[in-house]
Amino acid sequence: MAPHNDSSPAENFTNGFNRMTLQSSGSSSLTVEDLTAELGSSYDSSTLDAPVSHVKRPLVPGVYVPTMCFFDKETEDVDTVTIAHHAVRLARAGITGLATQGSNGEAVHLTHSERQVVTATTRKALNEAGFSQMPIIVGCGAQSTREAVLLCRQAWQAGGDYALVLPPSYYAPLFAPSSQTILEFFNAVADASPIPIIIYNYPGAVNGMDMSSDIIVQLAQHPNIVGVKLTCGNTGKLNRVVAGTRKLSKEYDPKNPDFLVLAGSADFSIQALAAGGHGILAGLANIAPKACTKTIELWNQGKHTEAQEMQEVVSQGDWTAIQGGVVGVKAGLEKWAGYGGYCRSPLPRPTPEQSKNWKNGFKDLIMLEKSL
Amino acid sequence: MAPHNDSSPAENFTNGFNRMTLQSSGSSSLTVEDLTAELGSSYDSSTLDAPVSHVKRPLVPGVYVPTMCFFDKETEDVDTVTIAHHAVRLARAGITGLATQGSNGEAVHLTHSERQVVTATTRKALNEAGFSQMPIIVGCGAQSTREAVLLCRQAWQAGGDYALVLPPSYYAPLFAPSSQTILEFFNAVADASPIPIIIYNYPGAVNGMDMSSDIIVQLAQHPNIVGVKLTCGNTGKLNRVVAGTRKLSKEYDPKNPDFLVLAGSADFSIQALAAGGHGILAGLANIAPKACTKTIELWNQGKHTEAQEMQEVVSQGDWTAIQGGVVGVKAGLEKWAGYGGYCRSPLPRPTPEQSKNWKNGFKDLIMLEKSL
Amino acid sequence: MAPHNDSSPAENFTNGFNRMTLQSSGSSSLTVEDLTAELGSSYDSSTLDAPVSHVKRPLVPGVYVPTMCFFDKETEDVDTVTIAHHAVRLARAGITGLATQGSNGEAVHLTHSERQVVTATTRKALNEAGFSQMPIIVGCGAQSTREAVLLCRQAWQAGGDYALVLPPSYYAPLFAPSSQTILEFFNAVADASPIPIIIYNYPGAVNGMDMSSDIIVQLAQHPNIVGVKLTCGNTGKLNRVVAGTRKLSKEYDPKNPDFLVLAGSADFSIQALAAGGHGILAGLANIAPKACTKTIELWNQGKHTEAQEMQEVVSQGDWTAIQGGVVGVKAGLEKWAGYGGYCRSPLPRPTPEQSKNWKNGFKDLIMLEKSL
Amino acid sequence: MAPHNDSSPAENFTNGFNRMTLQSSGSSSLTVEDLTAELGSSYDSSTLDAPVSHVKRPLVPGVYVPTMCFFDKETEDVDTVTIAHHAVRLARAGITGLATQGSNGEAVHLTHSERQVVTATTRKALNEAGFSQMPIIVGCGAQSTREAVLLCRQAWQAGGDYALVLPPSYYAPLFAPSSQTILEFFNAVADASPIPIIIYNYPGAVNGMDMSSDIIVQLAQHPNIVGVKLTCGNTGKLNRVVAGTRKLSKEYDPKNPDFLVLAGSADFSIQALAAGGHGILAGLANIAPKACTKTIELWNQGKHTEAQEMQEVVSQGDWTAIQGGVVGVKAGLEKWAGYGGYCRSPLPRPTPEQSKNWKNGFKDLIMLEKSL
């Protein structure tokens, strides 16, 4: 954690580069050639210049949206046109920032080169629409420390501003006691990453591994670890993390905290704010960016009754998103926004009945969204 | 759910009695003799008259405490003297109600007759100390519908006012789809119970079974189901339950709601209130009843900043209670209140180091408690 | 573990009696009156004399059947007539022993007094049919050490010969490290139990707690712990337990081992024998006692090809039993044996389609059974 | 499933190639350039010719070893010298085949290009040592159908003979009911893969997803799905799968079955054979290839007593491997074979005490191994 203008990606990058000896020769070292290669021939090389003109985009309180990844309905190829359209639509709705390569972005369905295409396309679309200051968070979790670092480097090259990192879990039973392995993993990645790290606590995605408030606060002391997304839904933990990390700051400015604490789901937006949280990074905002933003604004303006009423509509809509997941949210977008398509195989395409139920499940929320 | 003065325990009791044919003859029917027998020779029969003079104790918003059960350090027999002392201490601290036979009360370590002794002792102690209006909630979960009903009847006989019921889970893989079995279970128990039911959603205690907001709202329509305790920590669900059950009321009075929604842990007290919840039923209040109560009072008075500051101390203290569980909370009571003792075997007695850590873990909270 | 003729229930009983101070006075001590009381007015007191004429029934290799508990279809009261009929039918089919109060016996749906009725009825039926030498194993697991001991005493009083004990799990996160709490629990119960203990390893029934071969072998050194039922299906563990416990014997007689290792499901009968196991304690034998017995006989006679062929029919039939559980096995009995009825609420009654599927699922096995 | 000489990789490859439109143009299509690119500049292009001279290597009963992947202790780069040495050592010990990219091979710690290096190195080493007929199985599981297909194609290009495929699980809650999604996934991958598929059932690695015998038998009907590795340890399921797939063959030859059923752990080798299984694919064979092979030979020769004695040593050694996982097995190799090194970060390096315990845990097994 550090005042953001203190973090120098280039510098960290070099440190990390040396520390991880990623450039060392040998049969499997990851050279710049590898990296370029991984980006693939289909990758718009112009984005490779992005880092050069890499401007600092602060991580401030608000609503961050883990964008969907869209695919051609026939070939399942990445649909960059829709990805760009969706990103701009969200930006115009007034959200604070975007996140690529999350569960909603089907990161686990993409190759490294495709991930680059998605992030670079999003960055480019935002810039061209006049949102060059809007930050992009990129999912960079991996099982090995070096692949996580590689993903952070690739995210930076594609124009990402922050890396959202899940803890490794595949070999969890073999980890060192008291989460020592988790601490070392995050510190090593933060040391080597060219962009600041946001911890991602989502037990459902990592075999139930749930990071404690103690560990998160401990990791927050690293100058290149600047926030956390709590998808566990544990607002007691969120409250402890806010209190514990605030104490690390010389002076705490709730409008620009050194360590940003975000709720991972829209159905506990004001609950998170009540506990001292700073906002949300939530999939439902793909469907209703204005409603999610307005709910938080109302609360921050002290209009708690109105905020609570709006939260109830958001929470009910989120229940549909939680049950339908990325398949349901895409069906909702298709029905209410005219685009969305399907997830990559093997994720199923919704049955007519499912589509109908999901459309109805989002109805009240959409009515609210359109009224804003 | 029903205006509480509409619910007639005696009437429900009779209905249930007939419906469940609990009095039918046969090799295994549960007769009144059985019941009396189950109460055991050590059971103060005077409490059997309690129902006769059973007064109505409303279930209002506030702080409910799942009391500990105390045991003789040598024999591990139930220590009724300490149970009475603790109940009165909590009542004098200003809490709203008590709950016996929860996880903190080691219900799974008690025989039916011992459970009766604990509840009757608590009722008697409260009455003698001038708290005859304070309601007692009694844990009555069981795997079979008829045992759950038996526990509700025994709770009523021992002076309990409400029954806190966990869903059955042992044979969950064999249940009917879409939670039909769970719905039928709760409705059957509510039909037969002489006292109103409070649904207990605690996945950690029932093999991960997590009741949805849809099911809880559906069950809330039963006239004898009057509340829910959400220990899952899911405040999004809590928000949906509050919204869904409010709609069932002719007119909604937040100070006396028809369906009471309680947070199951003190570390999300104000988060629950922000979501429309009515209070907590939380183990930490055994340690710091005043701090838990004050946090909620401050929030309800609109003093959100002060409430948030106090919540942070409560949440940090709760972290110790969550990690140490009933073993740690008893160690804390022993260190800071001079009583507590140990849990029943096989629960271990804390090591000196554990006792020290737990004492320190509660320190800030105790300092706050003593300042109130 | 000890040569069985060395174990003296009476003696152990006294030891345990004193150690557990179960007779100590006090508000909650469990007195003999309590015990009798718990047996209930409906309990045939004649069985109380059973212990007096308690004969030694050896625990030998073979097929043990966890019997179903049967209920009146209207009242759900325990149906002692069918319980007796079923026990005798199984005994006549040539099985080695019976077990009451297991998952198939719906122990979690029975009160203590009902459990006594079931075990006493089974003992009485076997005696009257000329099977007075057939041992009865009784499920006696509980969360507290003292309740487990009480259940062992009650099992002994009702005519049980061995106690099948699950480890406690409700408060598992609070247990002492390295399974110290589990070791102390089993040793304490074994010290106090009037009948020998059989360890029950069934992770699915205890929140995933899975006892290791190391712990089981360590517990096998207790003179009153004489066997294990492995429902985990881990035949590698079974192989380690057989090897580890054999080493504890002065001389090992596979026909009468000091420590009996049983497979908990019929679908790995010969696999368990191949690994050195001694037999099975499996629910499927309620449906096909002869097939289960014959499969093991063939293997022990060295007729491995025939045994493997029969095992395949048994395994396929067991797949139906595993999926339908106690609900499906009862449906199968009803269809193929003319009795069975339903489980206690809230377990659902099978739909016509389920009944049909389960009947068909057992068809090949039943054909085999009838041919034997 | 099909007589292996019927399966034509080239043909399947073309089918898959067209069906998956992997060559379609577009921003994210996977072109041959991509693939070559993914192989990385460090990749020995000679292996690209392998497919050209791709000979058919039958999948016969026996002992398959999921080889470890070795790394430079300083740089953590892939150590191809040790990988080659280990492969040849195992081949000379008499094992039946090797598997790369399994849990023991730290596949989740490798990039696509590194995976190619490992498989190609293994193939080359075997060929040069005179084991050109020994098949190599390559782990090819992925979350998306197309990445799984890509991995199968890359495995084929690197010289792999069979693909071991885990089911996707990240979005399991969103899958179609009754495992329809899993069936479609495996059939689609089998359609497009240039090499035959072996189903990998390992719930521990995929959030608990456990494939049933019904699904496995159903998938076995696909001409390009030729076997299964059951790491679940469920030998009842194994027995059902053997019986169900045998029925699919015109004539069944246990020495060359159309569908190969392998145990996933060495501690249930003879249990699997007793149930009709054909061998093992087990990590312990990295430590003791001769003992694992001899145990199975003895059983197949009808020397069941000797086999059971040897199985006990193997099972006890496997217990150490199960507890220590890939970290422990490498420590064992280091201590007993003089090589092994460490796993990639964040996996911890063993403490001196752990190394000592693991060395001792393998001692009896190593003594046995050296005696063979």
Side-chain angles (χ1 to χ4, degrees):
Chain A
M1 189 175 76
H4 297 168
N5 52 14
D6 286 4
S7 86
S8 164
E11 195 173 275
N12 287 334
F13 173 84
T14 315
N15 297 346
F17 202 91
N18 297 331
R19 187 175 291 90
M20 302 299 292
T21 69
L22 290 172
Q23 84 287 31
S24 72
S25 64
S27 63
S28 74
S29 67
L30 296 162
T31 66
V32 174
E33 290 66 36
D34 271 333
L35 185 52
T36 316
E38 293 245 5
L39 297 181
S41 58
S42 64
Y43 179 63
D44 175 354
S45 63
S46 71
T47 59
L48 281 173
D49 309 329
V52 181
S53 61
H54 207 64
V55 299
K56 185 68 204 167
R57 302 184 180 89
L59 190 69
V60 297
V63 173
Y64 292 82
V65 191
T67 54
M68 323 290 295
C69 183
F70 301 97
F71 305 102
D72 180 288
K73 291 182 180 180
E74 295 305 316
T75 63
E76 288 195 5
D77 291 338
V78 170
D79 173 356
T80 52
V81 176
T82 306
I83 287 170
H85 167 73
H86 185 59
V88 173
R89 178 192 153 225
L90 294 174
R92 293 195 172 132
I95 56 104
T96 312
L98 292 175
T100 58
Q101 322 310 344
S103 296
N104 282 277
E106 293 180 61
V108 296
H109 288 168
L110 305 176
T111 62
H112 280 207
S113 54
E114 289 178 312
R115 293 182 183 207
Q116 295 297 80
V117 170
V118 172
T119 299
T121 299
T122 303
R123 178 73 274 159
K124 203 169 166 188
L126 289 178
N127 292 352
E128 291 171 2
F131 298 96
S132 59
Q133 287 307 310
M134 182 172 285
I136 296 178
I137 298 166
V138 184
C140 295
Q143 293 301 321
S144 71
T145 304
R146 64 196 278 151
E147 185 177 5
V149 171
L150 172 64
L151 287 169
C152 291
R153 287 177 53 205
Q154 294 180 336
W156 171 73
Q157 280 201 302
D161 303 287
Y162 299 91
L164 184 63
V165 180
L166 275 167
S169 63
Y170 191 83
Y171 293 109
L174 309 179
F175 285 177
S178 306
S179 296
Q180 189 57 34
T181 293
I182 296 300
L183 289 167
E184 289 168 5
F185 169 81
F186 276 102
N187 284 320
V189 174
D191 286 341
S193 173
I195 50 179
I197 303 300
I198 296 171
I199 299 164
Y200 190 5
N201 190 55
Y202 182 12
V206 287
N207 274 299
M209 179 182 291
D210 194 10
M211 296 174 72
S212 72
S213 47
D214 294 341
I215 291 169
I216 295 168
V217 172
Q218 194 172 341
L219 285 171
Q221 296 170 37
H222 190 293
N224 205 32
I225 297 181
V226 301
V228 65
K229 172 185 180 180
L230 294 172
T231 301
C232 54
N234 185 335
T235 57
K237 178 187 296 183
L238 185 146
N239 184 238
R240 287 186 288 272
V241 170
V242 169
T245 54
R246 183 200 301 118
K247 296 192 181 76
L248 300 173
S249 305
K250 291 174 213 59
E251 52 195 71
Y252 178 71
D253 173 4
K255 287 201 173 53
N256 184 26
D258 292 340
F259 191 82
L260 198 75
V261 181
L262 301 172
S265 196
D267 68 355
F268 61 103
S269 300
I270 64 174
Q271 299 92 311
L273 297 177
H278 308 108
I280 66 173
L281 173 42
L284 188 67
N286 281 287
I287 289 276
K290 293 179 184 172
C292 290
T293 304
K294 186 69 175 176
T295 301
I296 286 176
E297 282 176 5
L298 287 169
W299 184 271
N300 288 336
Q301 292 163 4
K303 300 175 181 173
H304 292 180
T305 308
E306 296 86 332
Q308 201 180 95
E309 283 170 10
M310 196 169 286
Q311 178 67 61
E312 288 179 1
V313 179
V314 168
S315 294
Q316 194 57 46
D318 207 21
W319 179 222
T320 295
I322 290 164
Q323 293 177 92
V326 63
V327 175
V329 172
K330 279 194 173 182
L333 272 178
E334 189 75 43
K335 292 289 183 184
W336 292 107
Y339 67 93
Y342 306 115
C343 299
R344 254 187 187 169
S345 302
L347 278 181
R349 299 187 171 198
T351 62
E353 190 194 5
Q354 285 177 313
S355 296
K356 185 162 163 297
N357 293 340
W358 286 325
K359 180 182 180 182
N360 295 337
F362 289 125
K363 188 172 185 179
D364 293 350
L365 178 61
I366 294 292
M367 294 304 106
L368 168 62
E369 182 73 7
K370 292 185 173 176
S371 73
L372 299 172
Chain B
M1 190 176 76
H4 296 169
N5 51 15
D6 285 5
S7 85
S8 165
E11 195 171 274
N12 287 334
F13 174 83
T14 315
N15 296 345
F17 201 90
N18 297 330
R19 186 175 292 88
M20 301 301 291
T21 70
L22 290 172
Q23 85 287 30
S24 72
S25 62
S27 63
S28 75
S29 67
L30 297 161
T31 66
V32 175
E33 291 66 35
D34 271 334
L35 185 52
T36 316
E38 293 248 3
L39 297 182
S41 58
S42 64
Y43 180 64
D44 175 355
S45 65
S46 72
T47 60
L48 279 173
D49 309 330
V52 182
S53 61
H54 208 64
V55 299
K56 184 69 201 166
R57 301 182 181 91
L59 192 69
V60 297
V63 173
Y64 293 82
V65 191
T67 54
M68 322 290 296
C69 184
F70 301 97
F71 305 102
D72 180 288
K73 291 181 180 180
E74 295 304 316
T75 64
E76 287 195 4
D77 290 337
V78 169
D79 173 358
T80 52
V81 175
T82 305
I83 288 171
H85 168 73
H86 184 60
V88 173
R89 178 193 152 223
L90 294 174
R92 293 193 170 133
I95 56 103
T96 313
L98 292 175
T100 58
Q101 322 310 343
S103 296
N104 283 277
E106 291 180 63
V108 296
H109 288 168
L110 304 176
T111 63
H112 279 208
S113 53
E114 289 178 313
R115 294 182 181 208
Q116 294 298 79
V117 171
V118 171
T119 300
T121 299
T122 303
R123 178 73 272 159
K124 201 169 168 188
L126 289 178
N127 292 352
E128 291 172 2
F131 297 96
S132 59
Q133 288 307 311
M134 181 172 287
I136 295 178
I137 298 166
V138 183
C140 294
Q143 293 301 321
S144 72
T145 305
R146 64 195 278 152
E147 185 177 5
V149 170
L150 171 63
L151 287 169
C152 292
R153 286 178 53 207
Q154 294 180 336
W156 171 74
Q157 281 200 300
D161 303 287
Y162 300 91
L164 184 64
V165 180
L166 275 168
S169 64
Y170 191 84
Y171 293 108
L174 309 180
F175 286 176
S178 307
S179 295
Q180 190 55 35
T181 293
I182 296 301
L183 288 168
E184 289 169 4
F185 169 81
F186 276 101
N187 284 320
V189 174
D191 285 341
S193 172
I195 51 178
I197 304 299
I198 296 173
I199 299 163
Y200 191 4
N201 190 56
Y202 182 11
V206 287
N207 273 299
M209 178 182 291
D210 194 11
M211 296 174 72
S212 72
S213 46
D214 294 342
I215 291 170
I216 295 168
V217 172
Q218 195 173 341
L219 285 171
Q221 295 170 37
H222 190 292
N224 206 30
I225 297 181
V226 301
V228 65
K229 173 186 180 179
L230 294 173
T231 301
C232 53
N234 184 336
T235 57
K237 177 186 295 180
L238 185 146
N239 184 240
R240 287 186 288 272
V241 170
V242 169
T245 54
R246 184 201 300 119
K247 296 193 181 77
L248 299 174
S249 304
K250 293 173 211 57
E251 53 196 68
Y252 178 72
D253 174 4
K255 288 204 174 50
N256 184 25
D258 293 339
F259 191 82
L260 198 75
V261 181
L262 301 172
S265 197
D267 68 354
F268 61 102
S269 299
I270 64 174
Q271 298 94 310
L273 297 177
H278 308 109
I280 66 173
L281 174 41
L284 188 68
N286 280 287
I287 290 275
K290 293 179 183 172
C292 290
T293 304
K294 186 68 175 177
T295 301
I296 285 177
E297 281 175 4
L298 287 169
W299 185 270
N300 288 336
Q301 291 163 6
K303 300 175 182 172
H304 292 179
T305 308
E306 295 88 332
Q308 201 180 95
E309 283 169 9
M310 196 170 285
Q311 177 67 62
E312 289 179 0
V313 179
V314 168
S315 294
Q316 194 57 44
D318 207 20
W319 178 223
T320 296
I322 290 165
Q323 294 176 91
V326 63
V327 175
V329 172
K330 279 195 173 181
L333 272 178
E334 188 75 43
K335 292 290 182 182
W336 293 107
Y339 67 93
Y342 306 115
C343 298
R344 254 188 187 169
S345 304
L347 278 181
R349 299 188 172 197
T351 62
E353 190 195 5
Q354 285 178 314
S355 297
K356 185 162 164 295
N357 293 341
W358 286 326
K359 180 181 179 181
N360 294 338
F362 288 125
K363 187 172 184 179
D364 294 349
L365 178 60
I366 293 292
M367 294 306 106
L368 168 61
E369 181 74 7
K370 292 186 173 177
S371 73
L372 299 172
Chain C
M1 189 176 75
H4 297 169
N5 51 15
D6 287 4
S7 84
S8 165
E11 194 171 278
N12 288 334
F13 174 82
T14 315
N15 296 345
F17 202 89
N18 297 330
R19 188 176 291 90
M20 301 300 291
T21 69
L22 289 171
Q23 84 285 31
S24 73
S25 62
S27 63
S28 75
S29 67
L30 296 160
T31 66
V32 174
E33 291 64 36
D34 272 333
L35 186 51
T36 316
E38 292 246 5
L39 297 181
S41 59
S42 64
Y43 180 64
D44 175 353
S45 65
S46 72
T47 59
L48 280 174
D49 309 330
V52 181
S53 63
H54 208 62
V55 298
K56 184 69 203 166
R57 303 184 180 89
L59 191 69
V60 297
V63 173
Y64 292 82
V65 190
T67 54
M68 323 290 296
C69 183
F70 301 98
F71 305 102
D72 180 288
K73 292 181 180 180
E74 296 304 317
T75 64
E76 289 196 3
D77 291 338
V78 170
D79 173 356
T80 52
V81 176
T82 305
I83 288 170
H85 168 73
H86 184 60
V88 173
R89 178 192 153 226
L90 293 174
R92 291 192 172 134
I95 56 103
T96 313
L98 292 174
T100 58
Q101 320 312 342
S103 297
N104 282 276
E106 291 180 63
V108 296
H109 290 169
L110 305 176
T111 63
H112 279 208
S113 53
E114 289 177 313
R115 293 181 182 208
Q116 294 298 79
V117 171
V118 171
T119 300
T121 298
T122 302
R123 177 75 272 160
K124 200 170 168 188
L126 289 178
N127 291 352
E128 291 172 1
F131 296 96
S132 59
Q133 288 306 311
M134 181 171 286
I136 295 178
I137 299 166
V138 184
C140 294
Q143 292 301 321
S144 72
T145 304
R146 63 195 280 152
E147 185 177 4
V149 170
L150 171 65
L151 287 169
C152 290
R153 288 177 53 206
Q154 294 179 336
W156 172 72
Q157 280 200 300
D161 302 287
Y162 299 92
L164 184 63
V165 180
L166 275 168
S169 63
Y170 191 84
Y171 293 109
L174 308 181
F175 286 177
S178 307
S179 295
Q180 189 56 34
T181 293
I182 296 300
L183 288 167
E184 289 169 4
F185 170 81
F186 275 102
N187 284 321
V189 174
D191 285 341
S193 173
I195 51 179
I197 303 300
I198 297 172
I199 299 164
Y200 190 6
N201 190 56
Y202 182 12
V206 287
N207 273 299
M209 178 181 292
D210 194 11
M211 296 173 72
S212 72
S213 46
D214 293 341
I215 291 169
I216 295 168
V217 172
Q218 193 173 341
L219 285 171
Q221 295 170 36
H222 190 292
N224 206 30
I225 297 181
V226 301
V228 65
K229 172 185 180 179
L230 294 173
T231 301
C232 53
N234 184 336
T235 57
K237 178 186 295 182
L238 185 146
N239 184 240
R240 287 186 287 274
V241 170
V242 169
T245 54
R246 184 201 300 119
K247 297 193 180 77
L248 300 173
S249 305
K250 292 176 213 58
E251 53 195 70
Y252 177 71
D253 173 5
K255 289 204 173 53
N256 186 25
D258 292 339
F259 190 82
L260 198 75
V261 181
L262 301 172
S265 196
D267 69 354
F268 61 103
S269 299
I270 64 174
Q271 299 93 310
L273 296 177
H278 307 109
I280 66 175
L281 173 42
L284 189 67
N286 280 288
I287 290 275
K290 292 179 183 172
C292 290
T293 304
K294 186 68 175 177
T295 302
I296 286 177
E297 282 176 5
L298 287 169
W299 184 270
N300 288 336
Q301 292 163 5
K303 300 175 182 172
H304 292 179
T305 308
E306 297 87 332
Q308 200 180 94
E309 284 170 8
M310 196 168 287
Q311 176 68 62
E312 288 179 1
V313 179
V314 169
S315 294
Q316 194 57 45
D318 207 21
W319 179 224
T320 295
I322 290 164
Q323 294 176 90
V326 63
V327 176
V329 173
K330 279 194 172 180
L333 272 178
E334 189 75 42
K335 292 290 183 182
W336 292 108
Y339 67 93
Y342 305 116
C343 298
R344 254 187 187 170
S345 303
L347 278 181
R349 299 188 171 198
T351 63
E353 191 194 5
Q354 285 177 313
S355 296
K356 185 162 164 296
N357 293 340
W358 286 327
K359 180 183 180 182
N360 294 337
F362 288 125
K363 187 172 186 180
D364 293 350
L365 179 61
I366 294 293
M367 294 304 106
L368 169 61
E369 181 73 8
K370 291 186 173 175
S371 74
L372 300 172
Chain D
M1 189 177 75
H4 297 168
N5 52 16
D6 287 3
S7 85
S8 165
E11 195 172 274
N12 288 335
F13 173 84
T14 314
N15 296 345
F17 202 90
N18 297 331
R19 186 175 291 90
M20 300 301 291
T21 70
L22 290 172
Q23 85 285 31
S24 72
S25 63
S27 63
S28 75
S29 68
L30 296 160
T31 66
V32 175
E33 292 65 37
D34 271 334
L35 184 53
T36 317
E38 292 245 5
L39 297 181
S41 58
S42 64
Y43 179 62
D44 175 355
S45 63
S46 72
T47 59
L48 280 174
D49 309 329
V52 181
S53 61
H54 208 64
V55 300
K56 184 70 203 166
R57 301 183 180 89
L59 191 68
V60 297
V63 173
Y64 292 82
V65 190
T67 54
M68 323 290 295
C69 184
F70 301 97
F71 304 102
D72 180 287
K73 292 182 180 180
E74 296 304 317
T75 64
E76 288 195 5
D77 292 337
V78 170
D79 173 358
T80 52
V81 175
T82 305
I83 287 171
H85 168 72
H86 184 60
V88 173
R89 177 191 153 226
L90 294 174
R92 294 196 171 132
I95 55 103
T96 312
L98 293 175
T100 58
Q101 321 310 343
S103 296
N104 283 277
E106 292 180 62
V108 296
H109 288 167
L110 305 176
T111 62
H112 279 207
S113 53
E114 289 178 312
R115 293 182 183 208
Q116 294 299 78
V117 170
V118 171
T119 299
T121 300
T122 303
R123 178 74 273 160
K124 200 170 169 188
L126 289 179
N127 291 351
E128 291 172 2
F131 297 97
S132 59
Q133 288 306 311
M134 181 172 285
I136 295 178
I137 298 165
V138 183
C140 295
Q143 293 301 321
S144 72
T145 304
R146 63 196 278 151
E147 185 178 4
V149 170
L150 171 64
L151 287 169
C152 291
R153 287 177 53 206
Q154 294 180 336
W156 171 73
Q157 281 201 301
D161 303 287
Y162 299 91
L164 184 64
V165 180
L166 276 167
S169 63
Y170 191 84
Y171 293 110
L174 308 179
F175 286 176
S178 307
S179 295
Q180 190 56 35
T181 294
I182 296 300
L183 288 166
E184 289 169 3
F185 170 81
F186 275 102
N187 284 321
V189 174
D191 285 342
S193 173
I195 50 178
I197 303 300
I198 297 172
I199 299 163
Y200 191 4
N201 189 56
Y202 182 13
V206 287
N207 274 300
M209 178 181 292
D210 193 11
M211 296 173 72
S212 73
S213 46
D214 294 341
I215 291 169
I216 295 168
V217 172
Q218 194 172 341
L219 285 171
Q221 296 170 36
H222 190 291
N224 206 31
I225 297 180
V226 301
V228 65
K229 172 186 180 178
L230 294 173
T231 301
C232 54
N234 184 335
T235 58
K237 178 187 296 182
L238 185 146
N239 185 239
R240 288 186 287 272
V241 170
V242 169
T245 54
R246 184 201 300 118
K247 297 193 179 76
L248 300 174
S249 305
K250 293 175 211 57
E251 54 195 69
Y252 177 72
D253 174 5
K255 288 202 175 53
N256 184 27
D258 292 339
F259 191 83
L260 199 75
V261 181
L262 301 172
S265 195
D267 69 354
F268 61 102
S269 299
I270 64 175
Q271 299 93 311
L273 296 177
H278 307 108
I280 66 174
L281 174 41
L284 189 67
N286 281 288
I287 289 276
K290 293 179 183 173
C292 290
T293 304
K294 185 69 175 177
T295 300
I296 285 177
E297 282 175 6
L298 287 170
W299 184 270
N300 288 336
Q301 292 163 5
K303 300 175 182 172
H304 293 180
T305 307
E306 296 87 333
Q308 200 180 96
E309 283 169 9
M310 196 169 286
Q311 177 67 62
E312 289 179 0
V313 179
V314 169
S315 295
Q316 194 57 45
D318 207 22
W319 179 223
T320 295
I322 290 165
Q323 294 176 92
V326 62
V327 175
V329 172
K330 280 194 172 181
L333 272 179
E334 188 75 44
K335 292 290 182 182
W336 292 108
Y339 67 94
Y342 306 115
C343 298
R344 254 188 187 170
S345 303
L347 280 181
R349 300 187 171 199
T351 63
E353 190 194 7
Q354 285 178 313
S355 296
K356 184 160 165 296
N357 293 340
W358 286 327
K359 180 182 180 182
N360 294 339
F362 288 126
K363 188 173 185 180
D364 293 350
L365 177 61
I366 294 292
M367 294 304 106
L368 169 61
E369 181 73 8
K370 292 186 173 175
S371 74
L372 299 172

